[in-house]
Amino acid sequence: MAQILDGKIMSAEIKAEIKAEIERGNLKVGLAVVLVGGDPASRIYVDWKKKDCAECGIESFEYVLPENVEQSELLSLIDKLNADKNIHGILIQQPLPKQIDVLAANERINPLKDVDAFHAENTGRIMTGDYRLTACTPAGVMEMLKRADISVAGKDCVVVGRSNIVGKPMAMMLLHEHGTVTICHSRTQNLSEICKRADILVAAIGKANFITADFVKNGAVVIDVGMNRGEGKKVYGDVDYEAVEPLASYITPVPGGVGPMTRAMLMLNTLTAKKLQS
Ligand code: NDP
């Protein structure tokens, strides 16, 4: 039976550590959260982030722009937030409406305030290993491995998914910890065979229950990044948990695994951003 990597417990520990550091230093830390339009899921995510801020002693500032906002208006808000000394982190909740050039918005954020680490300067730093602000989801996975004392060095690591926000930075971070890393995607041949070689398997695909027992080696560490909405409020991971859990040595649940760790890393990035700007 696998040990569960509990993201709720670990993220609560991380948030308590952040709060303690902020209190110890009597720091004033601010995060701006920008929401464009009225997407209900985005609204929920923004509310969660504001709650996380309150728990950590970080002040949150919410900016809501209409769905049909022009690109120039969003960019001028970013300019204003870049110049605001009370704001140390800027987060633009995604997805953004079609008329917005997401890349241009990401690039407009001062890299020192880029707490999602989507700016080219921060993604580039992940390549070189000279991290400052790191993509929250892969950073959350690395923190989970570290806190569970799971060593990456020399292990066969397979990451399924090559997105800029999860798969690619995940692979780089595992590589920097000396894993032997394979990145898979929709054109990969013999996917299940490759996954079955993994000591550490990370699924970041976006397809509910895609990773079945056929993909998993006995004793593997299985990290499920997927968050796939089912009917109602039910969320499914990319891993078929019931089938895979008996094989794995460690496994993350969905919900309650990587998701809360991602949010905790956003808080940690906000504190790091404050230090970088001081
Ligand atoms: P993307 O859609 O950007 O990327 C999905 C990746 O999976 C792509 O690289 C794609 O390959 C690959 N893929 C798709 N189908 C297959 C297949 N049949 N076989 C192998 N690979 C396949 O998604 P994201 O990276 O943004 O997110 C992935 C999942 O993680 C989603 O469920 C998302 O909701 C979740 N997520 C969870 C977070 C959390 O906090 N827990 C944070 C961010 C995301 P190709 O490149 O060839 O198209």
Side-chain angles (χ1 to χ4, degrees):
M1 231 172 96
Q3 287 193 53
I4 293 170
L5 294 168
D6 191 322
K8 279 195 195 155
I9 293 177
M10 288 191 205
S11 64
E13 286 165 6
I14 295 165
K15 286 190 277 185
E17 288 161 18
I18 295 169
K19 185 171 196 277
E21 188 172 343
I22 288 176
E23 284 176 358
R24 232 182 1 258
N26 203 12
L27 304 176
K28 216 169 155 330
V29 186
L31 174 67
V33 187
V34 180
L35 177 62
V36 183
D39 175 47
S42 292
R43 177 73 259 170
I44 292 171
Y45 295 142
V46 163
D47 287 343
W48 284 352
K49 288 166 189 175
K50 286 167 64 185
K51 186 169 160 278
D52 291 332
C53 283
E55 282 173 34
C56 293
I58 294 172
E59 196 172 356
S60 62
F61 301 87
E62 180 180 302
Y63 297 83
V64 181
L65 297 174
E67 182 80 30
N68 62 354
V69 69
E70 284 188 23
Q71 165 97 358
S72 58
E73 206 179 318
L74 175 62
L75 295 183
S76 16
L77 173 61
I78 295 172
D79 290 344
K80 194 180 108 187
L81 299 174
N82 280 338
D84 189 334
K85 296 260 181 297
N86 293 317
I87 286 175
H88 305 97
I90 303 170
L91 180 135
I92 316 281
Q93 184 63 44
Q94 298 192 14
L96 288 166
K98 282 190 285 296
Q99 76 277 14
I100 303 289
D101 177 347
V102 180
L103 202 61
N106 289 340
E107 294 295 303
R108 191 73 160 229
I109 297 174
N110 174 350
L112 297 179
K113 294 193 177 188
D114 171 37
V115 286
D116 258 337
F118 291 165
H119 190 290
E121 182 177 324
N122 290 317
T123 54
R125 283 177 176 276
I126 291 173
M127 284 287 284
T128 61
D130 175 22
Y131 305 164
R132 288 199 310 206
L133 298 167
T134 50
C136 297
T137 300
V141 172
M142 296 310 290
E143 191 61 32
M144 256 185 157
L145 296 175
K146 192 169 125 198
R147 284 178 188 246
D149 246 342
I150 297 168
S151 155
V152 175
K155 301 273 172 65
D156 270 323
C157 305
V158 174
V159 179
V160 191
R162 56 172 165 178
S163 71
N164 289 334
I165 63 166
V166 187
K168 284 181 200 161
M170 183 77 256
M172 276 301 140
M173 288 184 196
L174 290 165
L175 184 61
H176 289 308
E177 287 303 316
H178 315 294
T180 303
V181 183
T182 306
I183 309 176
C184 301
H185 45 78
S186 66
R187 313 282 180 92
T188 299
Q189 294 181 7
N190 306 321
L191 181 64
S192 63
E193 276 172 41
I194 297 170
C195 289
K196 217 164 176 139
R197 293 205 298 260
D199 301 309
I200 299 175
L201 176 63
V202 182
I205 309 162
K207 291 203 157 84
N209 298 331
F210 184 90
I211 300 289
T212 58
D214 294 343
F215 290 68
V216 178
K217 175 165 88 173
N218 245 320
V221 175
V222 180
I223 307 289
D224 189 352
V225 176
M227 275 186 3
N228 308 290
R229 298 219 161 259
E231 279 177 22
K233 287 192 171 164
K234 185 128 176 69
V235 176
Y236 297 89
D238 288 344
V239 175
D240 180 348
Y241 187 92
E242 301 302 325
V244 167
E245 186 272 337
L247 290 171
S249 56
Y250 290 88
I251 191 164
T252 60
V254 175
V258 175
M261 292 301 284
T262 300
R263 287 166 49 197
M265 290 300 112
L266 176 68
M267 297 298 110
L268 196 58
N269 271 351
T270 307
L271 177 56
T272 304
K274 159 80 184 178
K275 292 181 201 163
L276 289 169
Q277 291 158 54
S278 296

